[in-house]
């Protein structure tokens, strides 16, 4: 795959020009964006792959749900349905997508919708009763038909967009100049030991503008696992063999974390947003004990029977510094 992407290097300038020209058309107002009189927050990235959007969306929900009524809107990646769908706790991931179902399962009082057409999705969500006052758009940074009031751009510590190029050889969906649209840039998945000097170097590499704010976060792994049998301390699994099942873009940090804890496990790694086949499920049903990610859990919990112990590893966003300042900027955004 890497060889093929390198062979496609001559296409990079063409992709760059197409995406740059598209952005310029929106910037100049030649292509029209729809603005809204209520708060719309976009969480997104420049690159393909996992940057930590779901934990950030969940962080925003926790921060804002006591201040206003919230709805989230996602594309519903890899779902089999089309058009607008309201996500229910009884929904299947195959119909609405794993991450939207994860949001709804965790925050039952929050309205969750999916629609590839974000403008239509916003219209449909605002027509619901009660009407949500704030919308959080997951993975909508490149959806220029919507002009949000606030943009949060994520970039992972080990794969900064400043070191990347556009598709198909690189991983960027658009040129690096697209970062200028962001109000806040968050470097995610940082080591907790990152120094102030390194943070300053990264700020220079990202060319953060004076009107933008930069924050640094890491992944916080909870000490307890949640599963079909309730809640259990991770320490229990130091004496119990298990199978780690991941269907995420980069399972490396989780695998390393479990190795650091001294856990013994077999790792079954699947592609991001993997739809488990019957053959996959037959293999998993032979496992006595499975630990997985939360978005994989929302799929597998409805596909595996009770003969297999199934647990997921909760994670959350942990700010290295300046969490209160981040919260303040978000709260000011919704007031405006």
């Amino acid at each position: 795959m890497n060889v093929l992407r390198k062979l496609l290097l001559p296409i990079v300038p063409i992709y760059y020009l197409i995406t740059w020209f598209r952005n310029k058309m929106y910037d100049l107002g030649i292509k029209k964006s729809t603005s809204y009189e209520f708060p719309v927050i976009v969480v997104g990235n420049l690159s393909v792959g996992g940057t930590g959007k779901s934990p950030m969306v969940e962080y925003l929900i926790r921060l804002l749900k006591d201040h206003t009524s919230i709805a989230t809107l996602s594309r519903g990646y890899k779902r089999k349905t089309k058009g607008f769908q309201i996500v229910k706790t009884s929904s299947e991931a195959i119909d609405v997508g794993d991450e939207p179902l994860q949001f709804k399962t965790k925050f039952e009082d929050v309205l969750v919708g999916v629609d590839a057409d974000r403008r239509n999705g916003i219209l449909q969500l605002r027509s619901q009763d009660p009407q949500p006052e704030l919308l959080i758009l997951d993975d909508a940074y490149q959806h220029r038909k919507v002009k949000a009031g606030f943009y949060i751009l994520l970039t992972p510590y080990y794969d900064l967009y400043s070191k990347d190029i556009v598709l198909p050889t690189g991983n960027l969906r658009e040129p690096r100049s697209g970062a200028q649209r962001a109000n806040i840039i968050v470097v995610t998945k940082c080591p907790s030991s990152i120094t102030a000097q390194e943070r300053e170097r990264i700020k220079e590499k990202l060319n953060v503008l004076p009107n933008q704010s930069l924050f640094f976060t890491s992944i916080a792994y909870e000490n307890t696992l949640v599963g079909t049998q309730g809640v259990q301390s991770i320490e229990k699994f130091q004496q119990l063999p298990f199978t780690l099942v991941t269907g995420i873009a980069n399972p490396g940090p989780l695998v390393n974390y479990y190795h650091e804890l001294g856990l013994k496990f077999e790792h079954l790694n699947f592609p991001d947003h993997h739809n488990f086949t019957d053959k996959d499920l037959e293999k998993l049903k032979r496992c006595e004990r499975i630990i997985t990610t939360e978005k994989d859990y929302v799929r597998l919990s409805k596909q595996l029977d009770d003969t297999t112990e199934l647990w997921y590893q909760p994670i959350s966003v942990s700010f290295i510094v300046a969490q209160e300042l981040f919260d303040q900027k978000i709260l000011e955004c919704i007031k405006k």
Side-chain angles (χ1 to χ4, degrees):
M1 185 64 181
N2 288 334
V3 173
L4 176 60
R5 295 184 73 174
K6 289 178 181 177
L7 291 174
L8 293 173
L9 183 61
I11 300 177
V12 166
I14 300 172
Y15 184 94
Y16 180 99
L17 287 173
I18 291 173
T19 52
W20 178 88
F21 183 71
R22 174 180 179 270
N23 278 335
K24 187 58 65 175
M25 295 282 280
Y26 279 108
D27 293 340
L28 296 175
I30 298 172
K31 291 179 74 70
K32 300 300 181 183
S33 299
T34 302
S35 300
Y36 300 91
E37 296 181 352
F38 49 88
V40 177
I41 299 176
V42 162
V43 177
N45 48 8
L46 294 186
S47 62
V48 297
T51 58
K53 294 184 294 295
S54 294
M56 179 56 70
V57 170
E58 292 182 0
Y59 182 90
L60 294 174
I61 293 174
R62 291 189 184 96
L63 174 65
L64 298 171
K65 63 185 178 67
D66 294 332
H67 296 270
T68 186
S69 58
I70 298 174
T72 71
L73 178 63
S74 307
R75 172 186 171 187
Y77 184 62
K78 283 196 173 181
R79 64 187 173 111
K80 299 300 184 183
T81 57
K82 302 291 184 181
F84 177 77
Q85 300 277 335
I86 289 288
V87 182
K88 304 176 182 178
T89 54
S90 59
S91 297
E92 297 286 343
I94 197 69
D95 296 322
V96 297
D98 46 21
E99 288 165 342
L101 182 56
Q102 176 181 321
F103 299 151
K104 186 62 181 180
T105 302
K106 187 171 287 185
F107 305 101
E108 293 187 17
D109 294 335
V110 171
L111 183 62
V112 178
V114 293
D115 199 336
D117 182 344
R118 300 306 203 277
R119 288 193 296 193
N120 181 66
I122 291 172
L123 181 66
Q124 295 294 334
L125 285 171
R126 287 280 290 179
S127 70
Q128 302 298 310
D129 186 20
Q131 185 183 70
E133 298 174 349
L134 164 70
L135 267 65
I136 301 174
L137 272 56
D138 175 34
D139 197 15
Y141 198 82
Q142 284 74 39
H143 289 265
R144 300 296 305 273
K145 290 182 180 180
V146 169
K147 186 174 183 179
F150 204 83
Y151 289 88
I152 301 174
L153 177 65
L154 308 183
T155 184
Y157 172 82
Y158 293 104
D159 191 20
L160 299 173
Y161 60 75
S162 59
K163 300 186 294 184
D164 207 348
I165 61 174
V166 298
L167 295 163
T169 301
N171 288 317
L172 298 186
R173 300 171 173 176
E174 60 174 300
R176 294 190 292 261
S177 58
Q180 296 174 5
R181 300 197 302 276
N183 300 91
I184 283 177
I185 300 172
V186 182
V187 181
T188 62
K189 305 182 181 181
C190 296
S192 57
S193 59
I194 186 173
T195 64
Q197 292 79 8
E198 188 175 5
R199 296 199 300 269
E200 191 60 33
R201 286 196 296 269
I202 291 175
K203 182 177 182 179
E204 293 176 1
K205 290 178 182 178
L206 296 179
N207 194 26
V208 177
L209 300 176
N211 65 316
Q212 295 176 317
S213 299
L214 179 66
F215 295 90
F216 296 83
T217 65
S218 60
I219 298 173
Y221 295 102
E222 303 294 332
N223 293 324
T224 54
L225 304 184
V226 180
T228 52
Q229 299 187 10
V231 178
Q232 187 60 254
S233 171
I234 188 67
E235 295 177 355
K236 173 186 176 182
F237 296 90
Q238 290 179 332
Q239 308 299 326
L240 296 173
F242 63 88
T243 301
L244 176 64
V245 176
T246 57
I248 56 179
N250 180 18
L254 178 58
V255 172
N256 292 337
Y257 173 67
Y258 279 1
H259 282 316
E260 290 171 1
L261 293 178
L263 303 180
K264 306 297 182 183
F265 56 91
E266 175 192 13
H267 181 202
L268 298 181
N269 188 26
F270 296 91
D272 195 18
H273 298 280
H274 181 65
N275 286 323
F276 294 96
T277 65
D278 291 341
K279 184 177 180 180
D280 295 331
L281 293 172
E282 285 302 316
K283 183 176 183 178
L284 296 180
K285 287 175 182 178
R286 293 194 291 269
C287 300
E288 179 182 358
R289 193 174 294 106
I290 292 175
I291 297 178
T292 189
T293 67
E294 188 168 2
K295 73 175 184 178
D296 292 315
Y297 180 87
V298 298
R299 295 177 183 274
L300 293 174
S301 62
K302 297 182 179 182
Q303 293 177 299
L304 295 177
D305 53 40
D306 295 336
T307 60
T308 301
E309 281 188 38
L310 183 63
W311 307 86
Y312 73 82
Q313 171 66 64
I315 64 172
S316 59
V317 170
S318 177
F319 280 79
I320 304 295
V321 292
Q323 178 177 353
E324 291 183 358
L325 178 59
F326 178 90
D327 294 353
Q328 176 186 334
K329 288 186 175 294
I330 300 300
L331 292 171
E332 287 176 352
C333 150
I334 67 169
K335 289 178 182 178
K336 292 179 182 178

